[in-house]
Amino acid sequence: MKKRYLITYDLNKTGQDYEDVINAIKSASDGAWCTYWKSAFLIRSDYQSANEVSDLIIPYIDSNDRLIVIEVIRNFQGCLTKEQWKYISDVIFED
């Protein structure tokens, strides 16, 4: 069963390597992800808990950074373009 997670992070040290964090987030997805916000991703994943997803990312952040992984259900609203909503509905929430 696929799960969806919203992942957001703040890297607080100057010169942080965002690439490793971003690659870890993408690797937690099953290939379906989007990032329409600064420092946040919405992913579809085969991982069954937020802890499992978080465990993949934590090795790439420092102790003064911030990370939150929240499971998302199909109950959402906001201000995005039609194309962005279509991707979220048709790809992220496709089963």
Side-chain angles (χ1 to χ4, degrees):
M1 179 177 171
K2 303 284 185 183
K3 300 272 187 165
R4 284 77 181 173
Y5 299 99
L6 180 65
I7 303 164
T8 186
Y9 56 91
D10 285 324
L11 305 183
N12 294 313
K13 184 177 173 185
T14 303
Q16 276 290 53
D17 189 357
Y18 283 83
E19 187 175 343
D20 287 342
V21 173
I22 291 167
N23 287 336
I25 292 169
K26 290 178 181 178
S27 76
S29 79
D30 67 357
W33 57 268
C34 61
T35 180
Y36 302 135
W37 319 270
K38 291 182 180 181
S39 300
F41 281 77
L42 179 60
I43 69 168
R44 186 180 67 202
S45 180
D46 292 316
Y47 290 99
Q48 295 300 298
S49 75
N51 281 342
E52 290 176 291
V53 173
S54 179
D55 287 346
L56 294 173
I57 303 165
I58 286 175
Y60 303 100
I61 64 174
D62 294 331
S63 61
N64 66 329
D65 296 333
R66 300 294 172 255
L67 171 72
I68 187 167
V69 178
I70 299 173
E71 185 177 350
V72 178
I73 61 170
R74 189 184 268 278
N75 182 12
F76 45 81
Q77 188 52 267
C79 298
L80 298 174
T81 67
K82 287 181 184 180
E83 293 81 16
Q84 291 168 335
W85 281 122
K86 181 169 177 36
Y87 184 84
I88 289 171
S89 294
D90 295 352
V91 177
I92 299 293
F93 281 91
E94 185 237 5
D95 279 322

